[in-house]
Amino acid sequence: MARIIQAVSPLDTLHRPLRDLRISVTDRCNFRCTYCIPFAESNWMSRSEILSFAEIERLASLFVQAGVSKIRLTGGEPLVRRGLPELVRQLAHLEGLRDLSLTTNGALLAEQAPALKEAGLRRINVSIDTLRPQRFREITQRGDLQVVLEGLFAAQRTGLGPIKINAVVIRGFNDDELIELVEFGRLHGFEMRFIEYMDVGNANGWAPEKTFSKREMLEIIQSRFPLREIGHSGGSAPAVDYEFIDGAGLIGIIGSVTEPFCGSCTRVRLTADGKLVTCLFAEGGFDLKSMMRQGASDAELGKAIATAWGGRADRYSDLRWQRLQSGAGYEPQAHKKIEMITLGG
Ligand code: SF4
């Protein structure tokens, strides 16, 4: 029976409503992207630590009651979680949920796209930082570009859409590929999302000079393809969207470092082991799984979600940018963050 949903939209201490939930369904991944998990192995979560689909569905329902209208599934790599279409099916039926999407590295997409679409998934983002096979291998440490491209086109054939391609732009690595990536998107009907390289986690070796800024990306892309700015989708999406003047579609650019958007950040994260995390750069999270497994009621869990959000004061990227601009110095390792492989970016 469908649950009665009543969104109450609590505000955090900076008056930001709770709107988006990113659910990490596993901390495992079949790639080892250098900016996410530069080490070969990790202290992977055991199966008993990971939330079951029923637990995820229960918590997701409570988040929706607390104001969430958009859910994105992430990992690790979400498609390595066995039976994911079944979870998609459960979440797609949540009353009050307007948008269900998934971010994937694409390696398993060719085989899973039809089942995901059939289960109710609406759109996907696929991470492709480079279109050069050797470079792709270098940054993913395990990935095969051809397999990912096959997955991308298989997803397109199923009718999933819009399909966005996420590309992290790293100075000196792939900043010479912006035009190639834009052309690829225009030619095949994908929306490119360029993302400034940032210091997620503690182990990715980020330094300010490796960030290729949104302004620099725009200059290069505009010199070839004139653009018109549209703004942030829905007012709070991290990307600033642009449309090609010639009508050939859209691109988005996320100025994670040089144009922080903490003021409109309405995102909460649920880790694969059931921790509610209020910022990508948080040091820890609130353990909803333990509460749930100790028998907490829906009302108690809902109150815990509202309390965690109500106490939220995170604005990490704003503060980092202030320090970088003021010359006060910014030491990424000084702040012990949760690794990106656990949060799904
Ligand atoms: S730094 Fe934290 S609060 Fe700021 S936009 Fe990123 S996730 Fe949101």
Side-chain angles (χ1 to χ4, degrees), residues 105-127:
N105 65 24
L108 300 173
L109 202 47
E111 58 199 73
Q112 296 194 29
L116 290 165
K117 174 73 168 45
E118 194 272 324
L121 189 68
R122 293 169 201 175
R123 59 193 185 88
I124 57 167
N125 287 33
V126 183
S127 302

Side-chain angles (χ1 to χ4, degrees), residues 16 261-262 265 269 279-281 312 314-317:
R16 298 168 294 192
F261 34 84
C262 298
C265 178
R269 291 171 162 81
C279 177
L280 183 55
F281 299 92
R312 177 185 191 244
D314 304 283
R315 50 190 292 263
Y316 188 87
S317 291

Side-chain angles (χ1 to χ4, degrees), residues 279-333:
C279 177
L280 183 55
F281 299 92
E283 294 179 29
F286 182 80
D287 190 355
L288 287 173
K289 180 188 69 184
S290 293
M291 259 187 94
M292 187 164 46
R293 290 188 181 173
Q294 284 159 16
S297 66
D298 281 0
E300 288 165 331
L301 288 164
K303 190 166 173 216
I305 291 169
T307 302
W309 188 262
R312 177 185 191 244
D314 304 283
R315 50 190 292 263
Y316 188 87
S317 291
D318 274 353
L319 299 174
R320 174 182 50 209
W321 185 230
Q322 280 172 17
R323 288 191 72 87
L324 287 169
Q325 277 192 306
S326 69
Y330 170 69
E331 177 44 66
Q333 304 296 339

Side-chain angles (χ1 to χ4, degrees), residues 19 80 104 240:
R19 290 277 178 259
V80 304
T104 172
V240 179

Side-chain angles (χ1 to χ4, degrees), residues 185-203:
R186 285 168 56 94
L187 181 64
H188 298 291
F190 302 118
E191 286 184 32
M192 287 303 308
R193 281 279 170 283
F194 295 108
I195 304 166
E196 286 182 358
Y197 183 40
M198 59 179 163
D199 59 320
V200 187
N202 307 287

Side-chain angles (χ1 to χ4, degrees), residues 1 12 46 82 153 156 192 227 260 289 294 316 332:
M1 186 197 299
D12 70 8
S46 65
R82 195 168 303 159
F153 288 112
Q156 190 175 47
M192 287 303 308
L227 298 166
K289 180 188 69 184
Q294 284 159 16
Y316 188 87

